[in-house]
Amino acid sequence: IVMTQTPLSLSVTPGQPASISCKSSQSLFHTDKKTYLYWYLQKPGQPPQLLIYEAFNRLSGVPDRFSGRGSGTDFTLTISRVEAEDFGVYYCLQSIQLPPTFGQGTKVDI
Amino acid sequence: QVQLQQWGAGLLKPSETLSHTCAVYGGSFSIYYWSWIRQSPGKGLEWIGEINRSGSTNYNPSLRSRVTLSVDTSNNQFSLKLTSVTAADTAVYYCARRYGGFDNWGQGILVTVSS
């Protein structure tokens, strides 16, 4: 499954919203009613950290300014009010089908 | 709190074998799949393969012929071997726990393949 993110880079002003799109080449909705789409943030020198699982569930400890939405093949990660600590590269991941595949990444500059 | 700690060689010559191990501390070792993922500037994040406690494996078809995963349940460790490396295998290699997505990662090791 091919994951396509847009844009590939994004310059944002603190306090303003930001959105990243992720489109999959096949539906990520499983017969078990889960959607196997995940969002990550990677900061320099660190592994990716999970933010959102199953399309819209925030991991414990992730600020509520991060939200995920979408269904089927179209997904969006939104940051309601960007903060300075939100810089880095954001990735989407699908795991409904092996091999799990990542998007190309969206670099967010503050 | 689960922690993954990985180790292995960081500098290899072409045709050599990459050999890395990841130890899992805390949490359950039994119910998850344990993965290897690599990240290179040219190919982004690439899943290599995974293994569970029983030794059941899944591999990325693009690397299947060169990859072997193994597990040591007595020490909660799992290992990666990648044979016949070339410059194209230069990347940061991560181990990770998969439960749906990858929710815990090792620190990563930069592997450089150069003669």
Side-chain angles (χ1 to χ4, degrees):
Chain A
I1 296 177
V2 177
M3 305 296 287
T4 303
Q5 288 182 233
T6 54
L8 297 184
S9 67
L10 191 57
S11 290
V12 296
T13 302
Q16 296 300 305
S19 287
I20 300 168
S21 170
C22 177
K23 296 184 188 297
S24 57
S25 60
Q26 297 178 35
S27 175
L28 304 185
F29 183 70
H30 196 275
T31 52
D32 65 6
K33 309 299 187 200
K34 294 179 182 177
T35 298
Y36 287 83
L37 185 281
Y38 304 81
W39 288 100
Y40 293 83
L41 167 59
Q42 186 176 31
K43 298 193 175 185
Q46 298 181 18
Q49 59 187 86
L50 181 63
L51 299 175
I52 303 285
Y53 64 96
E54 295 168 12
F56 54 82
N57 299 292
R58 257 190 321 275
L59 201 67
S60 176
V62 173
D64 61 7
R65 63 179 180 273
F66 290 93
S67 62
R69 59 183 171 87
S71 62
T73 61
D74 288 355
F75 302 92
T76 303
L77 175 70
T78 299
I79 311 172
S80 59
R81 293 174 305 279
V82 172
E83 298 193 4
E85 66 191 33
D86 300 336
F87 78 93
V89 182
Y90 289 80
Y91 294 94
C92 58
L93 162 75
Q94 71 78 21
S95 68
I96 195 171
Q97 182 182 112
L98 296 179
T101 47
F102 293 86
Q104 321 95 299
T106 296
K107 185 174 182 180
V108 174
D109 295 309
I110 306 299
Chain B
Q1 181 76 359
V2 175
Q3 289 192 334
L4 280 66
Q5 185 170 351
Q6 56 185 115
W7 62 90
L11 181 60
L12 295 170
K13 291 182 167 53
S15 80
E16 291 185 335
T17 295
L18 180 156
S19 184
H20 282 193
T21 298
C22 184
V24 180
Y25 300 101
S28 171
F29 191 72
S30 299
I31 64 173
Y32 299 99
Y33 267 92
W34 302 94
S35 282
W36 292 94
I37 297 162
R38 69 182 184 180
Q39 184 172 31
S40 61
K43 296 195 73 175
L45 287 158
E46 181 180 33
W47 179 78
I48 299 169
E50 64 185 9
I51 190 167
N52 68 6
R53 184 185 186 278
S54 303
S56 177
T57 54
N58 295 300
Y59 295 115
N60 192 321
S62 66
L63 295 165
R64 182 193 306 272
S65 63
R66 298 194 292 131
V67 173
T68 301
L69 301 185
S70 59
V71 64
D72 174 4
T73 55
S74 61
N75 289 301
N76 284 5
Q77 295 177 1
F78 59 107
S79 298
L80 163 70
K81 288 191 189 303
L82 177 67
T83 61
S84 305
V85 297
T86 70
D89 295 311
T90 293
V92 176
Y93 285 74
Y94 295 101
C95 57
R97 184 178 80 171
R98 188 169 80 86
Y99 186 75
F102 304 104
D103 61 351
N104 281 276
W105 297 63
Q107 78 276 18
I109 296 175
L110 173 61
V111 174
T112 302
V113 180
S114 174
S115 55

